[in-house]
């Protein structure tokens, strides 16, 4: 009976969060064109002071000059077609603009609130006519698979969802369905990784951890901080050309591992110094729920102070070429996210199913009192659950930041869908969170075939409600005896 009441409470919270509110003023504009011009043969070094001009219908609407990292961006007044010109006179004498595939002038079509990446490549002087290297995209530009609405706003309404990778030209409706299915799987895997810990924490402690979304943000921001440190760059330099070690010592890979460790440490500290003392004092669950809201607000605004309100991208993955297999088009970054996510979920499932601590976690989740009377150290298991939950939420945050962008409310905006995944899959079961996350991601993305993308979360919640009407315990939950 208690589980049903909690399910209803979570559903009400999710419905409340789904109601659109007033959108804060957008401090960074809507649609824009951007790019990064790098030195040939060295993707880590940008070329400074190259001029870019953007015009529409013969009238100039903006211009930009590359900074020390080679980055540039021009905000656009409206969606539509634009003509982009790179000033070849501003290119250093050591380089030429690659004329294949597109040269210095581009025509692009930009949607509302979209950040569109215009890819320019340089070649050593005299080699600008050389063909593009194998595997490089032949398209004029590549859309940044960033925020759900493609915007770079600091506080826009792009929460939830991922941009579907562009379907290969000429693939028609089939290509669009495949593209959205791929985006749904990607988004569902991110939700699943982030929500497994949320479900396990509820199963072992009966606590609705409202701060879980901000633990997701914490992981993404820690990876951003670590990946920008000179120490990790110095660590990578000796192994840059060593197969295997080059990837393992990559600054972003090491930063991700450190961020996951920090997420686990945060979860363990919260359990050891906050939740355990509150439980020992027999604090009522509703009061602990309110405390979790307070922790969420505290952590969120601490991250705002440390990180500020601007969205940022992991610089190593700002622009990538698409890999195409028939109707499937995906960036190496998104493919890596999906592969690693599947591996992590398989490892977590195997740990829960076959290891001693995993079986103890499931036992405590099923019946805490019975597990304790059977000799299981419930306190130790609960700490492990919080460490695991914190680690997985941090990893989910890194993946979400990779696919979209990193900003201080990203986890809070994902919290609604994490709740939906946990409820749909079955409260307290990690496997249910995995299944629920995949279902929510697929439903949200595929709904955009027929309805506005702004309603994608609404349809996911409606499906959740329909499933609960038929099966109140969720997809993998167990029916409780009453009386």
């Amino acid at each position: 009976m208690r589980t049903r009441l909690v399910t209803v409470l979570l559903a009400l919270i999710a419905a409340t969060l789904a109601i659109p509110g007033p959108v804060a003023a957008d401090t960074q504009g809507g649609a824009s064109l951007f790019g990064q011009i790098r030195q040939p043969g060295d993707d880590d070094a940008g070329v400074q002071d190259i001029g870019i001009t953007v015009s529409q219908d013969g009238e100039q609407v903006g211009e930009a000059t590359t900074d020390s990292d080679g980055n540039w961006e021009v905000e656009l007044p409206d969606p539509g077609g634009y003509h982009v010109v790179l000033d070849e006179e501003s290119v250093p004498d050591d380089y030429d603009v690659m004329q294949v595939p597109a040269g210095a002038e581009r025509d692009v079509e930009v949607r509302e609130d979209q950040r569109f990446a215009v890819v320019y490549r340089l070649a050593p002087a005299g080699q600008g006519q050389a063909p593009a290297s194998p595997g490089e995209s032949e398209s004029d530009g590549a859309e940044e698979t960033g925020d759900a609405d493609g915007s770079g706003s600091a506080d826009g309404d792009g929460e939830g969802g991922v941009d579907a990778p562009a379907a290969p030209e000429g693939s028609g409706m089939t290509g669009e369905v495949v593209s959205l299915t791929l985006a749904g799987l990607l988004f569902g895997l991110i939700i699943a990784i982030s929500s497994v810990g949320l479900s396990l924490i509820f199963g072992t402690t009966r606590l609705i951890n409202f701060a879980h979304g901000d633990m997701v943000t914490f992981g993404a921001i820690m990876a951003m901080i670590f990946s920008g440190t000179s120490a990790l760059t110095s660590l990578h330099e000796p192994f840059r050309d060593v197969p295997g070690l080059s990837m393992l010592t990559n600054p972003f890979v090491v930063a991700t591992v450190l961020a996951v460790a920090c997420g686990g440490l945060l979860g363990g500290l919260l359990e050891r110094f906050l939740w355990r003392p509150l439980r020992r004092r027999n604090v009522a669950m509703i009061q602990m729920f309110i405390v979790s809201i307070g922790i969420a607000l505290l952590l969120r605004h601490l991250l705002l102070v440390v990180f500020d309100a601007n969205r940022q991208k992991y610089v190593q993955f700002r622009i990538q070429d698409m890999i195409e297999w028939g109707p499937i088009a995906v960036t190496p970054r998104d493919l890596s996210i999906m592969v690693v996510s599947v591996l992590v979920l398989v490892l977590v499932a195997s740990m829960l199913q076959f290891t001693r601590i995993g079986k103890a976690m499931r036992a405590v989740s099923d019946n805490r009192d019975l597990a304790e009377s059977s000799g299981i150290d419930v306190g130790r298991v609960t700490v492990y659950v919080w460490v695991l939950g914190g680690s997985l939420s941090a990893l989910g945050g890194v993946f979400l930041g990779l696919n979209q962008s990193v900003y201080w409310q990203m986890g809070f905006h994902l919290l609604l869908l994490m709740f939906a995944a946990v409820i749909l899959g079955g409260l307290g079961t990690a496997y249910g969170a995995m299944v629920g996350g995949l279902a929510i991601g697929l439903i949200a993305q595929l709904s955009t075939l027929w309805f506005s993308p702004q309603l994608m979360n609404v349809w996911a919640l409606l499906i959740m409600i329909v499933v609960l009407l038929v099966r109140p315990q969720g997809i993998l939950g167990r029916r409780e005896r009453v009386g």
Side-chain angles (χ1 to χ4, degrees):
M1 188 65 178
R2 178 187 295 179
T3 302
R4 289 192 178 188
L5 291 175
V6 172
T7 300
V8 172
L9 176 60
L10 282 176
L12 289 173
I13 293 170
T16 302
L17 290 174
I19 298 174
V23 178
D26 191 343
T27 60
Q28 291 184 321
S32 65
L33 299 173
F34 79 104
Q36 183 182 29
I37 301 177
R38 293 168 285 200
Q39 295 181 15
D42 188 354
D43 287 344
D44 295 329
V47 181
Q48 191 172 2
D49 295 331
I50 294 180
I52 307 289
T53 303
V54 180
S55 59
Q56 185 178 47
D57 298 329
E59 295 185 7
Q60 181 174 320
V61 297
E63 59 182 352
T65 303
T66 57
D67 60 19
S68 58
D69 294 322
N71 295 315
W72 63 272
E73 184 160 6
V74 175
E75 294 186 0
L76 304 176
D78 298 294
Y82 290 90
H83 187 64
V84 187
V85 179
L86 183 148
D87 180 11
E88 296 188 77
E89 296 294 328
S90 64
V91 177
D93 295 337
D94 295 337
Y95 308 119
D96 286 339
V97 179
M98 289 284 292
Q99 300 302 314
V100 178
E105 299 190 21
R106 312 288 172 87
D107 290 307
V108 299
E109 189 73 26
V110 183
R111 301 193 307 267
E112 184 176 0
D113 291 335
Q114 180 187 11
R115 295 184 74 230
F116 191 94
V118 181
V119 181
Y120 285 109
R121 293 185 176 87
L122 301 182
Q127 300 181 28
Q129 296 292 336
S133 60
E136 287 187 344
S137 171
E138 295 296 316
S139 61
D140 289 350
E143 180 181 347
E144 178 194 29
T145 52
D147 312 333
D149 59 356
S151 71
S153 63
D155 198 14
D157 58 350
E159 61 269 19
V162 296
D163 260 354
E169 187 175 353
S171 57
M173 184 65 175
T174 301
E176 189 174 358
V177 172
V178 171
S179 174
L180 289 173
T181 301
L182 197 64
L185 287 173
L186 172 63
F187 191 38
L189 287 168
I190 293 174
I191 296 173
I193 280 187
S194 302
S195 58
V196 165
L198 180 63
S199 186
L200 282 174
I201 288 169
F202 174 80
T204 54
T205 65
R206 290 299 182 262
L207 171 68
I208 305 170
N209 181 26
F210 215 81
H212 203 80
D214 299 286
M215 294 169 70
V216 170
T217 308
F218 176 78
I221 289 180
M222 292 307 296
M224 175 73 73
I225 293 172
F226 285 130
S227 64
T229 59
S230 58
L232 295 187
T233 304
S234 301
L235 174 67
H236 179 58
E237 283 300 326
F239 307 102
R240 181 183 292 272
D241 299 321
V242 180
L245 288 178
S246 176
M247 184 189 71
L248 292 176
T249 59
N250 182 284
F252 185 77
V253 173
V254 178
T256 299
V257 173
L258 292 175
V260 170
C262 288
L265 179 62
L266 175 63
L269 290 175
L270 285 173
E271 161 60 18
R272 178 64 182 83
F273 296 105
L274 178 64
W275 303 119
R276 181 183 293 180
L278 289 177
R279 286 197 304 272
R280 285 178 174 173
R281 288 169 173 78
N282 295 319
V283 175
M285 196 56 64
I286 187 64
Q287 293 171 300
M288 294 179 69
F289 170 67
I290 294 172
V291 170
S292 77
I293 296 177
I295 294 297
L297 292 172
L298 174 63
L299 184 57
R300 191 178 314 149
H301 287 85
L302 282 175
L303 293 174
L304 171 62
V305 171
V306 172
F307 192 69
D308 73 42
N310 294 323
R311 293 176 184 247
Q312 297 186 34
K313 298 285 292 184
Y314 295 115
V315 294
Q316 299 92 334
F317 303 96
R318 285 181 62 91
I319 304 172
Q320 290 196 331
D321 297 315
M322 288 285 187
I323 300 173
E324 295 185 9
W325 297 293
I328 300 174
V330 63
T331 62
R333 173 193 59 209
D334 291 345
L335 184 61
S336 299
I337 291 174
M338 288 190 283
V339 170
V340 175
S341 297
V342 170
L343 289 176
V344 169
L345 290 175
V346 169
L347 287 174
V348 171
S350 300
M351 184 272 293
L352 292 173
Q353 195 68 32
F354 301 114
T355 67
R356 185 174 181 179
I357 187 62
K359 293 176 181 178
M361 287 180 182
R362 290 191 292 120
V364 174
S365 179
D366 287 341
N367 192 317
R368 186 182 182 93
D369 294 334
L370 181 59
E372 190 168 18
S373 65
S374 301
I376 295 176
D377 188 343
V378 173
R380 182 168 63 92
V381 170
T382 303
V383 171
Y384 288 158
V385 166
W386 273 94
V387 170
L388 177 63
S391 299
L392 291 175
S393 65
L395 183 61
V398 174
F399 288 164
L400 185 64
L402 269 176
N403 183 264
Q404 301 184 6
S405 56
V406 180
Y407 62 106
W408 67 290
Q409 285 188 309
M410 57 184 290
F412 173 66
H413 289 157
L414 189 69
L415 186 63
L416 159 67
L417 297 181
M418 287 194 288
F419 278 151
V422 170
I423 296 171
L424 181 62
L427 281 170
T429 165
Y431 304 131
M434 297 177 189
V435 174
L438 287 171
I440 291 294
L442 284 169
I443 293 167
Q445 290 293 333
L446 289 173
S447 68
T448 61
L449 279 171
W450 304 281
F451 306 102
S452 167
Q454 294 180 337
L455 297 176
M456 59 191 299
N457 292 351
V458 174
W459 294 114
L461 292 172
L462 284 177
I463 295 297
M464 177 196 73
I465 293 171
V466 170
V467 170
L468 290 179
L469 287 174
V470 177
R471 187 176 172 83
Q473 67 271 35
I475 296 174
L476 298 183
R478 293 186 300 177
R479 187 181 297 274
E480 288 190 343
R481 291 179 58 188
V482 179

